[in-house]
Amino acid sequence: MKFPFVAVVLALFLVAGGLVAFKVRWMNYPVLPPAETPLWVVKAEIGFDTGTGPVTLRLAVPPKLQPGLQVTDQVTLLPGYSCQEQLSASDNRQIVWSGRDTVPQRRQLVYRAIVSPRTETVLTTPVRPATPTRLGGLTGEAADRLLQEWREASADDLTQARQLFEDVYEEWPGNLDLQRMAEGLAAVGGPLRSTLAATLTVRLLRQAGWPARSVHGLLLQQDWYDAAPQCWVEIWLREGWQRIGLEADPDGGTKALVLWYDDDDMLTSDGVGNLERIVSVSRLPERSSRPVGDFPGPVPGSLRAGLEHLVDTVSSFSLPPRTQAVYRILLTVPLGALLVIFFRNLIGLQTFGIFMPVLIALAFRETRLLWGIALFLLVITGGVLARFGLMRFKLLMVPRLGAILTLVVLMMFGISLATQKFEMIGGLAVALFPMVVVTMTIERMSIIWEEHGMRRALRQVADSLFCAIMVYLLITNLLVEHLVFFFPELLLVCLALTLLAGRYAGYRLLEIARFKELAKDIGDVEFHS
């Protein structure tokens, strides 16, 4: 290695190490992610067009005290409009904005709340007791038949309620009584606004004489952009509201933030147009408990403040929350590329380029691993068969790639339709696969199949899929995501290792066994000579 190359590599290591040490020692950045996430940020961004008339916006906001959670702070932003907090007709907490613009314009409303944990996991004081009401007519008869079957097969009250929710969820498509109930409720009470299974379960529980209500909220499990509210059921048992249809966390509570109860809407408005709503959930990062700015020795206050400001300015947390969520993923991509380089240049695996395994691994983040592997193999298999079918037309390369791309999109669309029909929600994520990369993979696999045989082509597919799985496991690791987001300068180390791998020209690990016999023969020739 020449001196400039060694100097560049060493400089990258030193700069990265120095920045990390400075952040950890004097800026109190945590090296390890916290065992649990104590704080969450829930943000609603609402865009709308106004005219010259009066405007009113009503947004359902979380109750301040909830099972296992509490809203510790909230901020609203809509300049020029009055804001007040009130209860809806269903006793749900909501914030109402009202005002008028002199000229039509596009406005944006922002609501932001900080959510923290609390020790009580059961809400003993009800927000509004759900008074049991009985249904009459054909709807009531259908409900009574369902309740009779259900009582005969259940044990205690809570187990009965949970079993009822599961039965309604699973049997709804083919159960005539449930269909009759849904039709009757829609005819009597207007369009069903909550999830069908939760609504039917609440009606059945009330028919049986138990106070029950449907609940709409957000699951606090990971960062979500454009999060969709979930729905579950609460029943009044054992002097408190018990949740049904929601998995409990290991601590006994549920990381689920309640937004509103029963059949209210999250957002209603008067006098606006083109209403758009985006709700995001993100974890609020914490630093260590040691005070910031613990500089050794006599450091002037102005210099200390300047250094802190400089580091915080170029940190990931100076970006907007939406952009932070993007870079939590993007900053792990170079590590995935480095892992592919390691498998190709040092181990000797044969992959379809370096970008294909990384991009497929990014798709696996959204589809989850097992669904992602199944969908990837299904699309690749269908694409290769279609490619062989196009061979008889003797197309030029560019039109052939266009035809394959079209067929890939149609296959993905067909898979989404089929999985939706059979309620296999995971199959809908096939749309997240990079279409162009999949198309080029199909083309290259077909060419290798023609020139080198089926075994060589299948091996490269297997190697590429293996690399994609390894990259997925790397970039979804919480420690890795934490380190590259808090210390993006670690990518300089990644760059240095990539440069070192680029200068390696020796045997790959898999080539040792491949050339073992040749080396033995050469050794025998040298010995006899």
Side-chain angles (χ1 to χ4, degrees):
M1 295 185 185
K2 296 182 180 180
F3 175 76
F5 178 82
V6 176
V8 168
V9 172
L10 289 177
L12 292 174
F13 278 109
L14 290 176
V15 171
L19 288 174
V20 171
F22 179 81
K23 284 185 175 181
V24 172
R25 176 62 181 87
W26 293 299
M27 295 298 293
N28 303 310
Y29 278 63
V31 177
L32 299 176
E36 61 179 12
T37 304
L39 298 178
W40 293 84
V41 179
V42 178
K43 186 177 181 181
E45 299 174 272
I46 301 166
F48 57 94
D49 293 334
T50 65
T52 56
V55 171
T56 304
L57 292 163
R58 292 170 289 272
L59 177 67
V61 295
K64 291 187 176 181
L65 295 180
Q66 305 187 18
L69 296 171
Q70 59 184 346
V71 178
T72 56
D73 187 24
Q74 66 179 20
V75 177
T76 64
L77 178 62
L78 184 57
Y81 280 60
S82 63
C83 172
Q84 62 178 349
E85 185 176 317
Q86 65 181 31
L87 295 178
S88 69
S90 301
D91 290 339
N92 286 310
R93 183 169 171 257
Q94 62 178 201
I95 296 180
V96 181
W97 292 266
S98 58
R100 182 195 298 263
D101 290 328
T102 56
V103 294
Q105 58 182 304
R106 184 72 177 173
R107 300 295 297 268
Q108 185 174 25
L109 181 157
V110 177
Y111 170 83
R112 181 175 181 267
I114 306 296
V115 181
S116 61
R118 61 192 296 258
T119 56
E120 296 185 17
T121 58
V122 177
L123 190 61
T124 57
T125 303
V127 174
R128 179 176 64 88
T131 305
T133 55
R134 290 187 58 82
L135 301 171
L138 296 177
T139 304
E141 294 176 3
D144 290 334
R145 284 195 297 269
L146 289 168
L147 288 172
Q148 183 62 31
E149 298 174 1
W150 160 62
R151 286 193 179 101
E152 294 174 354
S154 302
D156 62 279
D157 293 345
L158 186 57
T159 304
Q160 287 180 2
R162 288 174 176 168
Q163 186 62 44
L164 177 62
F165 182 87
E166 295 177 2
D167 292 344
V168 170
Y169 184 83
E170 295 176 359
E171 298 179 7
W172 148 246
N175 192 300
L176 295 179
D177 286 331
L178 287 174
Q179 293 180 7
R180 188 173 293 111
M181 274 192 65
E183 294 171 359
L185 291 174
V188 174
L192 296 178
R193 296 183 178 90
S194 56
T195 301
L196 184 59
T199 302
L200 293 175
T201 303
V202 168
R203 295 295 185 179
L204 286 170
L205 290 172
R206 291 179 180 178
Q207 186 79 355
W210 282 327
R213 62 189 180 185
S214 57
V215 187
H216 303 256
L218 298 171
L219 301 183
L220 305 183
Q221 296 176 341
Q222 58 181 328
D223 292 356
W224 290 101
Y225 176 71
D226 197 10
Q230 305 294 315
C231 188
W232 60 92
V233 175
E234 287 186 354
I235 180 173
W236 183 261
L237 289 173
R238 303 171 185 172
E239 300 302 321
W241 289 105
Q242 305 293 332
R243 290 179 172 177
I244 302 171
L246 192 66
E247 293 184 1
D249 67 9
D251 297 327
T254 50
K255 292 183 175 65
L257 179 69
V258 175
L259 297 180
W260 75 94
Y261 297 96
D262 289 330
D263 292 336
D264 275 356
D265 288 323
M266 182 177 183
L267 177 65
T268 58
S269 62
D270 298 316
V272 304
N274 296 326
L275 193 64
E276 296 180 351
R277 181 196 74 192
I278 296 178
V279 178
S280 60
V281 178
S282 59
R283 290 167 288 189
L284 186 64
E286 288 193 337
R287 295 184 178 179
S288 64
S289 58
R290 193 156 50 86
V292 176
D294 186 17
F295 287 85
V299 179
S302 59
L303 176 60
R304 178 177 61 189
L307 290 174
E308 292 177 1
H309 177 72
L310 175 62
V311 174
D312 280 333
T313 300
V314 299
S315 74
S316 306
F317 303 109
S318 63
L319 299 172
R322 185 188 307 179
T323 309
Q324 289 184 29
V326 174
Y327 277 100
R328 281 184 180 274
I329 299 175
L330 290 184
L331 289 173
T332 61
V333 171
L335 298 180
L338 177 62
L339 186 60
V340 175
I341 292 171
F342 170 78
F343 282 123
R344 282 174 58 94
N345 288 30
L346 301 180
I347 302 299
L349 297 184
Q350 301 175 10
T351 65
F352 292 110
I354 185 174
F355 298 111
M356 179 269 195
V358 175
L359 293 176
I360 295 299
L362 290 175
F364 286 170
R365 282 182 61 100
E366 306 301 327
T367 62
R368 298 296 179 260
L369 187 58
L370 294 181
W371 265 109
I373 294 174
L375 294 173
F376 173 77
L377 294 177
L378 183 60
V379 173
I380 292 294
T381 301
V384 171
L385 294 177
R387 166 64 169 76
F388 285 142
L390 292 174
M391 287 177 56
R392 65 183 64 185
F393 299 134
K394 299 181 179 179
L395 302 176
L396 297 176
M397 185 184 70
V398 175
R400 184 173 67 242
L401 289 175
I404 296 174
L405 177 62
T406 303
L407 292 173
V408 167
V409 173
L410 289 175
M411 279 191 297
M412 294 167 64
F413 182 66
I415 292 172
S416 297
L417 290 178
T419 52
Q420 171 67 19
K421 180 68 175 178
F422 294 101
E423 299 183 357
M424 302 167 64
I425 305 301
L428 299 176
V430 69
L432 298 172
F433 279 106
M435 297 174 294
V436 176
V437 173
V438 171
T439 300
M440 296 305 299
T441 300
I442 292 171
E443 176 67 13
R444 293 183 60 183
M445 179 181 177
S446 302
I447 293 175
I448 293 174
W449 194 312
E450 295 173 2
E451 296 179 352
H452 301 283
M454 177 184 68
R455 183 175 180 180
R456 177 80 171 271
L458 293 179
R459 179 188 172 183
Q460 285 203 221
V461 171
D463 288 354
S464 299
L465 184 58
F466 173 78
C467 287
I469 294 172
M470 293 298 103
V471 172
Y472 165 80
L473 296 176
L474 175 68
I475 65 178
T476 56
N477 184 275
L478 291 179
L479 177 60
V480 172
E481 181 181 322
H482 169 84
L483 287 175
V484 296
F485 188 73
F486 276 71
F487 310 101
E489 54 274 4
L490 288 176
L491 294 185
L492 296 178
V493 176
C494 178
L495 175 59
L497 294 175
T498 302
L499 295 177
L500 291 173
R503 295 295 295 267
Y504 177 75
Y507 282 115
R508 298 176 175 88
L509 184 62
L510 296 180
E511 290 178 342
I512 295 178
R514 178 182 175 188
F515 293 106
K516 183 177 180 180
E517 294 298 328
L518 178 60
K520 181 179 179 180
D521 294 340
I522 294 175
D524 292 340
V525 170
E526 292 178 350
F527 174 77
H528 291 297
S529 61

mmCIF file with all atom_site columns, all heavy atoms in Angstrom, residues 275-289:
data_model
loop_
_atom_site.group_PDB
_atom_site.id
_atom_site.type_symbol
_atom_site.label_atom_id
_atom_site.label_alt_id
_atom_site.label_comp_id
_atom_site.label_asym_id
_atom_site.label_entity_id
_atom_site.label_seq_id
_atom_site.pdbx_PDB_ins_code
_atom_site.Cartn_x
_atom_site.Cartn_y
_atom_site.Cartn_z
_atom_site.occupancy
_atom_site.B_iso_or_equiv
_atom_site.pdbx_formal_charge
_atom_site.auth_seq_id
_atom_site.auth_comp_id
_atom_site.auth_asym_id
_atom_site.auth_atom_id
_atom_site.pdbx_PDB_model_num
ATOM 1   N N   . LEU A 1 275 ? -59.018 18.318 2.723  1.00 0.00 ? 275 LEU A N   1
ATOM 2   C CA  . LEU A 1 275 ? -58.503 18.024 4.059  1.00 0.00 ? 275 LEU A CA  1
ATOM 3   C C   . LEU A 1 275 ? -57.568 16.826 3.991  1.00 0.00 ? 275 LEU A C   1
ATOM 4   O O   . LEU A 1 275 ? -57.930 15.757 3.503  1.00 0.00 ? 275 LEU A O   1
ATOM 5   C CB  . LEU A 1 275 ? -59.670 17.738 5.002  1.00 0.00 ? 275 LEU A CB  1
ATOM 6   C CG  . LEU A 1 275 ? -59.376 17.709 6.500  1.00 0.00 ? 275 LEU A CG  1
ATOM 7   C CD1 . LEU A 1 275 ? -58.917 19.082 6.982  1.00 0.00 ? 275 LEU A CD1 1
ATOM 8   C CD2 . LEU A 1 275 ? -60.607 17.267 7.273  1.00 0.00 ? 275 LEU A CD2 1
ATOM 9   N N   . GLU A 1 276 ? -56.343 16.986 4.479  1.00 0.00 ? 276 GLU A N   1
ATOM 10  C CA  . GLU A 1 276 ? -55.346 15.915 4.514  1.00 0.00 ? 276 GLU A CA  1
ATOM 11  C C   . GLU A 1 276 ? -54.816 15.773 5.935  1.00 0.00 ? 276 GLU A C   1
ATOM 12  O O   . GLU A 1 276 ? -54.517 16.773 6.592  1.00 0.00 ? 276 GLU A O   1
ATOM 13  C CB  . GLU A 1 276 ? -54.189 16.204 3.555  1.00 0.00 ? 276 GLU A CB  1
ATOM 14  C CG  . GLU A 1 276 ? -54.607 16.245 2.091  1.00 0.00 ? 276 GLU A CG  1
ATOM 15  C CD  . GLU A 1 276 ? -53.438 16.542 1.183  1.00 0.00 ? 276 GLU A CD  1
ATOM 16  O OE1 . GLU A 1 276 ? -52.351 16.885 1.723  1.00 0.00 ? 276 GLU A OE1 1
ATOM 17  O OE2 . GLU A 1 276 ? -53.583 16.437 -0.042 1.00 0.00 ? 276 GLU A OE2 1
ATOM 18  N N   . ARG A 1 277 ? -54.699 14.514 6.386  1.00 0.00 ? 277 ARG A N   1
ATOM 19  C CA  . ARG A 1 277 ? -54.269 14.247 7.754  1.00 0.00 ? 277 ARG A CA  1
ATOM 20  C C   . ARG A 1 277 ? -53.128 13.244 7.752  1.00 0.00 ? 277 ARG A C   1
ATOM 21  O O   . ARG A 1 277 ? -53.204 12.216 7.095  1.00 0.00 ? 277 ARG A O   1
ATOM 22  C CB  . ARG A 1 277 ? -55.434 13.680 8.556  1.00 0.00 ? 277 ARG A CB  1
ATOM 23  C CG  . ARG A 1 277 ? -55.106 13.377 10.011 1.00 0.00 ? 277 ARG A CG  1
ATOM 24  C CD  . ARG A 1 277 ? -56.176 12.472 10.603 1.00 0.00 ? 277 ARG A CD  1
ATOM 25  N NE  . ARG A 1 277 ? -56.041 11.106 10.100 1.00 0.00 ? 277 ARG A NE  1
ATOM 26  C CZ  . ARG A 1 277 ? -56.964 10.163 10.253 1.00 0.00 ? 277 ARG A CZ  1
ATOM 27  N NH1 . ARG A 1 277 ? -58.095 10.442 10.839 1.00 0.00 ? 277 ARG A NH1 1
ATOM 28  N NH2 . ARG A 1 277 ? -56.763 8.931  9.783  1.00 0.00 ? 277 ARG A NH2 1
ATOM 29  N N   . ILE A 1 278 ? -52.068 13.565 8.472  1.00 0.00 ? 278 ILE A N   1
ATOM 30  C CA  . ILE A 1 278 ? -50.936 12.650 8.645  1.00 0.00 ? 278 ILE A CA  1
ATOM 31  C C   . ILE A 1 278 ? -50.621 12.584 10.135 1.00 0.00 ? 278 ILE A C   1
ATOM 32  O O   . ILE A 1 278 ? -50.365 13.605 10.777 1.00 0.00 ? 278 ILE A O   1
ATOM 33  C CB  . ILE A 1 278 ? -49.699 13.119 7.859  1.00 0.00 ? 278 ILE A CB  1
ATOM 34  C CG1 . ILE A 1 278 ? -49.979 13.096 6.350  1.00 0.00 ? 278 ILE A CG1 1
ATOM 35  C CG2 . ILE A 1 278 ? -48.497 12.234 8.186  1.00 0.00 ? 278 ILE A CG2 1
ATOM 36  C CD1 . ILE A 1 278 ? -48.821 13.590 5.515  1.00 0.00 ? 278 ILE A CD1 1
ATOM 37  N N   . VAL A 1 279 ? -50.652 11.368 10.677 1.00 0.00 ? 279 VAL A N   1
ATOM 38  C CA  . VAL A 1 279 ? -50.340 11.153 12.095 1.00 0.00 ? 279 VAL A CA  1
ATOM 39  C C   . VAL A 1 279 ? -49.046 10.349 12.173 1.00 0.00 ? 279 VAL A C   1
ATOM 40  O O   . VAL A 1 279 ? -48.906 9.317  11.508 1.00 0.00 ? 279 VAL A O   1
ATOM 41  C CB  . VAL A 1 279 ? -51.480 10.406 12.810 1.00 0.00 ? 279 VAL A CB  1
ATOM 42  C CG1 . VAL A 1 279 ? -51.112 10.156 14.265 1.00 0.00 ? 279 VAL A CG1 1
ATOM 43  C CG2 . VAL A 1 279 ? -52.778 11.203 12.712 1.00 0.00 ? 279 VAL A CG2 1
ATOM 44  N N   . SER A 1 280 ? -48.102 10.799 12.959 1.00 0.00 ? 280 SER A N   1
ATOM 45  C CA  . SER A 1 280 ? -46.818 10.109 13.101 1.00 0.00 ? 280 SER A CA  1
ATOM 46  C C   . SER A 1 280 ? -46.548 9.825  14.575 1.00 0.00 ? 280 SER A C   1
ATOM 47  O O   . SER A 1 280 ? -46.978 10.567 15.462 1.00 0.00 ? 280 SER A O   1
ATOM 48  C CB  . SER A 1 280 ? -45.680 10.950 12.512 1.00 0.00 ? 280 SER A CB  1
ATOM 49  O OG  . SER A 1 280 ? -45.592 12.196 13.170 1.00 0.00 ? 280 SER A OG  1
ATOM 50  N N   . VAL A 1 281 ? -45.845 8.731  14.809 1.00 0.00 ? 281 VAL A N   1
ATOM 51  C CA  . VAL A 1 281 ? -45.439 8.310  16.150 1.00 0.00 ? 281 VAL A CA  1
ATOM 52  C C   . VAL A 1 281 ? -43.934 8.081  16.123 1.00 0.00 ? 281 VAL A C   1
ATOM 53  O O   . VAL A 1 281 ? -43.426 7.365  15.247 1.00 0.00 ? 281 VAL A O   1
ATOM 54  C CB  . VAL A 1 281 ? -46.167 7.018  16.581 1.00 0.00 ? 281 VAL A CB  1
ATOM 55  C CG1 . VAL A 1 281 ? -45.686 6.574  17.951 1.00 0.00 ? 281 VAL A CG1 1
ATOM 56  C CG2 . VAL A 1 281 ? -47.674 7.225  16.586 1.00 0.00 ? 281 VAL A CG2 1
ATOM 57  N N   . SER A 1 282 ? -43.216 8.680  17.059 1.00 0.00 ? 282 SER A N   1
ATOM 58  C CA  . SER A 1 282 ? -41.763 8.513  17.087 1.00 0.00 ? 282 SER A CA  1
ATOM 59  C C   . SER A 1 282 ? -41.280 8.457  18.523 1.00 0.00 ? 282 SER A C   1
ATOM 60  O O   . SER A 1 282 ? -41.883 9.053  19.425 1.00 0.00 ? 282 SER A O   1
ATOM 61  C CB  . SER A 1 282 ? -41.056 9.659  16.343 1.00 0.00 ? 282 SER A CB  1
ATOM 62  O OG  . SER A 1 282 ? -41.378 10.904 16.927 1.00 0.00 ? 282 SER A OG  1
ATOM 63  N N   . ARG A 1 283 ? -40.209 7.737  18.719 1.00 0.00 ? 283 ARG A N   1
ATOM 64  C CA  . ARG A 1 283 ? -39.597 7.655  20.036 1.00 0.00 ? 283 ARG A CA  1
ATOM 65  C C   . ARG A 1 283 ? -38.772 8.904  20.302 1.00 0.00 ? 283 ARG A C   1
ATOM 66  O O   . ARG A 1 283 ? -38.064 9.383  19.416 1.00 0.00 ? 283 ARG A O   1
ATOM 67  C CB  . ARG A 1 283 ? -38.704 6.418  20.129 1.00 0.00 ? 283 ARG A CB  1
ATOM 68  C CG  . ARG A 1 283 ? -39.475 5.119  20.140 1.00 0.00 ? 283 ARG A CG  1
ATOM 69  C CD  . ARG A 1 283 ? -38.575 3.937  19.908 1.00 0.00 ? 283 ARG A CD  1
ATOM 70  N NE  . ARG A 1 283 ? -38.126 3.885  18.511 1.00 0.00 ? 283 ARG A NE  1
ATOM 71  C CZ  . ARG A 1 283 ? -37.471 2.864  17.993 1.00 0.00 ? 283 ARG A CZ  1
ATOM 72  N NH1 . ARG A 1 283 ? -37.174 1.827  18.736 1.00 0.00 ? 283 ARG A NH1 1
ATOM 73  N NH2 . ARG A 1 283 ? -37.098 2.883  16.737 1.00 0.00 ? 283 ARG A NH2 1
ATOM 74  N N   . LEU A 1 284 ? -38.862 9.429  21.506 1.00 0.00 ? 284 LEU A N   1
ATOM 75  C CA  . LEU A 1 284 ? -38.092 10.614 21.875 1.00 0.00 ? 284 LEU A CA  1
ATOM 76  C C   . LEU A 1 284 ? -36.764 10.165 22.456 1.00 0.00 ? 284 LEU A C   1
ATOM 77  O O   . LEU A 1 284 ? -36.728 9.545  23.522 1.00 0.00 ? 284 LEU A O   1
ATOM 78  C CB  . LEU A 1 284 ? -38.859 11.453 22.898 1.00 0.00 ? 284 LEU A CB  1
ATOM 79  C CG  . LEU A 1 284 ? -38.238 12.805 23.262 1.00 0.00 ? 284 LEU A CG  1
ATOM 80  C CD1 . LEU A 1 284 ? -38.203 13.705 22.039 1.00 0.00 ? 284 LEU A CD1 1
ATOM 81  C CD2 . LEU A 1 284 ? -39.009 13.463 24.382 1.00 0.00 ? 284 LEU A CD2 1
ATOM 82  N N   . PRO A 1 285 ? -35.642 10.414 21.761 1.00 0.00 ? 285 PRO A N   1
ATOM 83  C CA  . PRO A 1 285 ? -34.346 9.933  22.249 1.00 0.00 ? 285 PRO A CA  1
ATOM 84  C C   . PRO A 1 285 ? -33.932 10.646 23.524 1.00 0.00 ? 285 PRO A C   1
ATOM 85  O O   . PRO A 1 285 ? -34.200 11.835 23.720 1.00 0.00 ? 285 PRO A O   1
ATOM 86  C CB  . PRO A 1 285 ? -33.391 10.257 21.097 1.00 0.00 ? 285 PRO A CB  1
ATOM 87  C CG  . PRO A 1 285 ? -34.045 11.397 20.391 1.00 0.00 ? 285 PRO A CG  1
ATOM 88  C CD  . PRO A 1 285 ? -35.522 11.186 20.531 1.00 0.00 ? 285 PRO A CD  1
ATOM 89  N N   . GLU A 1 286 ? -33.258 9.893  24.406 1.00 0.00 ? 286 GLU A N   1
ATOM 90  C CA  . GLU A 1 286 ? -32.764 10.445 25.663 1.00 0.00 ? 286 GLU A CA  1
ATOM 91  C C   . GLU A 1 286 ? -31.250 10.297 25.716 1.00 0.00 ? 286 GLU A C   1
ATOM 92  O O   . GLU A 1 286 ? -30.679 9.340  25.199 1.00 0.00 ? 286 GLU A O   1
ATOM 93  C CB  . GLU A 1 286 ? -33.367 9.713  26.863 1.00 0.00 ? 286 GLU A CB  1
ATOM 94  C CG  . GLU A 1 286 ? -34.828 10.026 27.088 1.00 0.00 ? 286 GLU A CG  1
ATOM 95  C CD  . GLU A 1 286 ? -35.273 9.534  28.437 1.00 0.00 ? 286 GLU A CD  1
ATOM 96  O OE1 . GLU A 1 286 ? -34.630 8.622  28.959 1.00 0.00 ? 286 GLU A OE1 1
ATOM 97  O OE2 . GLU A 1 286 ? -36.234 10.077 28.953 1.00 0.00 ? 286 GLU A OE2 1
ATOM 98  N N   . ARG A 1 287 ? -30.616 11.268 26.361 1.00 0.00 ? 287 ARG A N   1
ATOM 99  C CA  . ARG A 1 287 ? -29.188 11.159 26.625 1.00 0.00 ? 287 ARG A CA  1
ATOM 100 C C   . ARG A 1 287 ? -28.978 10.580 28.019 1.00 0.00 ? 287 ARG A C   1
ATOM 101 O O   . ARG A 1 287 ? -29.911 10.348 28.769 1.00 0.00 ? 287 ARG A O   1
ATOM 102 C CB  . ARG A 1 287 ? -28.536 12.541 26.515 1.00 0.00 ? 287 ARG A CB  1
ATOM 103 C CG  . ARG A 1 287 ? -28.607 13.103 25.095 1.00 0.00 ? 287 ARG A CG  1
ATOM 104 C CD  . ARG A 1 287 ? -27.877 14.413 25.025 1.00 0.00 ? 287 ARG A CD  1
ATOM 105 N NE  . ARG A 1 287 ? -27.892 14.947 23.667 1.00 0.00 ? 287 ARG A NE  1
ATOM 106 C CZ  . ARG A 1 287 ? -27.338 16.083 23.326 1.00 0.00 ? 287 ARG A CZ  1
ATOM 107 N NH1 . ARG A 1 287 ? -26.713 16.826 24.211 1.00 0.00 ? 287 ARG A NH1 1
ATOM 108 N NH2 . ARG A 1 287 ? -27.388 16.510 22.072 1.00 0.00 ? 287 ARG A NH2 1
ATOM 109 N N   . SER A 1 288 ? -27.735 10.367 28.375 1.00 0.00 ? 288 SER A N   1
ATOM 110 C CA  . SER A 1 288 ? -27.450 9.789  29.684 1.00 0.00 ? 288 SER A CA  1
ATOM 111 C C   . SER A 1 288 ? -27.715 10.811 30.776 1.00 0.00 ? 288 SER A C   1
ATOM 112 O O   . SER A 1 288 ? -27.910 11.992 30.533 1.00 0.00 ? 288 SER A O   1
ATOM 113 C CB  . SER A 1 288 ? -25.989 9.326  29.741 1.00 0.00 ? 288 SER A CB  1
ATOM 114 O OG  . SER A 1 288 ? -25.124 10.431 29.621 1.00 0.00 ? 288 SER A OG  1
ATOM 115 N N   . SER A 1 289 ? -27.721 10.349 32.009 1.00 0.00 ? 289 SER A N   1
ATOM 116 C CA  . SER A 1 289 ? -28.063 11.226 33.122 1.00 0.00 ? 289 SER A CA  1
ATOM 117 C C   . SER A 1 289 ? -26.917 12.146 33.524 1.00 0.00 ? 289 SER A C   1
ATOM 118 O O   . SER A 1 289 ? -27.109 13.064 34.305 1.00 0.00 ? 289 SER A O   1
ATOM 119 C CB  . SER A 1 289 ? -28.476 10.385 34.328 1.00 0.00 ? 289 SER A CB  1
ATOM 120 O OG  . SER A 1 289 ? -27.428 9.503  34.698 1.00 0.00 ? 289 SER A OG  1
#
